[in-house]
Amino acid sequence: MSQNIEDSFIVNNQKFPDWAPKEVISEWEEEREEVAYWQGRFPEAEPDTAQFDLLYRLLTYPDMKTVWEKLPKYEIKPTVFSSMVRLSWLYIETKPHNLTTKEYKRWIEEVREASLKLADLIELRSYDQYLQEKYFDKRRKRVLKSMVSHSLKLFDHKIDSEQYAKTQPEYENCPDFNPGLLSTNLRRLADLESDADVNLLLTEESPVKLEKPNHPNARRSYFIKKMTQLIRRETRQPLREIVTKTTATVFDDPTLTERQIIRTAP
């Protein structure tokens, strides 16, 4: 994939095309600083530039021009899209995404055993109440801040006093999501049949599973499935062209077609 950047601007001595989103360039700068920091700390070690390089491709490969230009039509912010890409690209390297069916069942059993053991170890100890107490402390601070903010509006001459009296204070609507004791949650975790049941991220989609996680193209297959899933969640559409061009950019494969995308993520 050739990079012909004619209309461009320079950031930190690096050229970017004029269509590259400024918000994502800022993310690239943060990654650049992160790489420079670790290079300074450990000059003899090979720096991890994977995310830095990934963002650079998203910001410079010509095929991404139409992708960035079409995203506003579907109300997808550049930084949200960038997060989708990085999430889809990274997760294949972590459990349970890189496990075979047999390995996954063994992993679930290990999680259950570890959860029950930890629950027994911490029950009625200070560890057990830690999350609950941290939550209550955080909630108290949030409510107090809201109360002070609401009270100060009384002294704001721009706010109508009658309208203020009818306004319900924000702190009265603060949700109470008490996490409960850690030992209780660990025992609940041990009862789950799958990590899909945990739903920690409050997402409705099921985890992406691959039949052959050790296949040479497993990372690309996972990326296509996850990216399609995330885009469907945002737009209710698969947006095949966007997924195709983004995948081709991420994996530097300009021969990739929409037909291949559809086969991988129907």
Side-chain angles (χ1 to χ4, degrees):
M1 227 181 249
S2 62
Q3 299 179 43
N4 181 24
I5 306 176
E6 297 177 356
D7 298 321
S8 60
F9 55 94
I10 298 176
V11 177
N12 283 327
N13 297 320
Q14 178 62 59
K15 274 189 174 183
F16 289 101
D18 58 0
W19 46 261
K22 307 296 188 300
E23 308 96 308
V24 182
I25 291 177
S26 295
E27 293 182 334
W28 172 85
E29 288 184 274
E30 290 178 10
E31 287 294 332
R32 181 177 181 272
E33 291 172 3
E34 183 77 6
V35 170
Y37 170 79
W38 289 110
Q39 279 184 317
R41 288 289 303 274
F42 304 100
E44 295 181 1
E46 185 70 25
D48 181 4
T49 62
Q51 292 221 41
F52 174 72
D53 296 335
L54 174 65
L55 285 171
Y56 181 75
R57 291 196 296 276
L58 295 178
L59 290 165
T60 59
Y61 276 35
D63 279 355
M64 289 303 298
K65 180 177 186 293
T66 55
V67 171
W68 294 118
E69 288 174 347
K70 287 185 177 182
L71 292 179
K73 175 183 176 182
Y74 302 102
E75 299 182 351
I76 301 177
K77 294 180 180 179
T79 51
V80 172
F81 184 76
S82 169
S83 296
M84 287 181 182
V85 173
R86 290 200 267 182
L87 183 66
S88 303
W89 183 74
L90 283 173
Y91 265 31
I92 185 60
E93 292 186 343
T94 61
K95 289 183 179 180
H97 312 286
N98 58 0
L99 300 178
T100 63
T101 303
K102 186 177 180 180
E103 290 170 338
Y104 177 78
K105 290 180 179 178
R106 190 185 310 127
W107 175 74
I108 286 291
E109 193 55 41
E110 289 174 357
V111 170
R112 287 174 179 160
E113 291 174 2
S115 298
L116 289 174
K117 184 174 182 179
L118 181 56
D120 289 339
L121 285 170
I122 68 170
E123 190 170 23
L124 304 179
R125 305 294 193 277
S126 56
Y127 292 112
D128 204 10
Q129 299 176 348
Y130 179 75
L131 290 178
Q132 196 174 47
E133 289 177 355
K134 292 292 285 185
Y135 164 76
F136 284 135
D137 182 54
K138 188 173 182 179
R139 189 176 190 278
R140 277 194 297 268
K141 290 178 180 177
R142 180 179 176 184
V143 170
L144 182 60
K145 183 179 179 181
S146 178
M147 289 175 68
V148 171
S149 176
H150 184 74
S151 298
L152 289 176
K153 289 179 181 178
L154 273 171
F155 304 98
D156 190 341
H157 68 278
K158 297 178 183 178
I159 296 178
D160 182 80
S161 58
E162 292 184 7
Q163 186 64 36
Y164 171 82
K166 298 176 183 178
T167 303
Q168 187 177 22
E170 182 185 345
Y171 61 82
E172 292 187 2
N173 295 317
C174 286
D176 189 0
F177 297 128
N178 183 355
L181 296 174
L182 182 55
S183 61
T184 301
N185 288 313
L186 285 167
R187 289 197 169 88
R188 288 174 182 163
L189 186 67
D191 288 335
L192 300 181
E193 296 295 325
S194 164
D195 66 304
D197 300 329
V198 178
N199 206 19
L200 288 177
L201 299 180
L202 302 179
T203 54
E204 296 178 0
E205 67 267 8
S206 58
V208 170
K209 301 291 185 186
L210 296 179
E211 293 181 6
K212 299 178 179 179
N214 298 318
H215 190 277
N217 288 329
R219 179 187 278 274
R220 190 178 75 178
S221 296
Y222 182 88
F223 181 89
I224 293 168
K225 288 175 179 288
K226 188 64 180 180
M227 196 69 195
T228 301
Q229 184 185 73
L230 292 174
I231 284 180
R232 279 187 188 275
R233 188 183 72 187
E234 288 289 321
T235 68
R236 308 289 182 187
Q237 303 175 61
L239 303 187
R240 305 294 189 186
E241 182 185 0
I242 286 177
V243 174
T244 303
K245 289 186 175 182
T246 304
T247 306
T249 296
V250 169
F251 293 90
D252 200 11
D253 183 6
T255 65
L256 197 66
T257 65
E258 283 191 37
R259 186 184 294 274
Q260 289 173 282
I261 299 295
I262 294 170
R263 273 205 308 267
T264 304

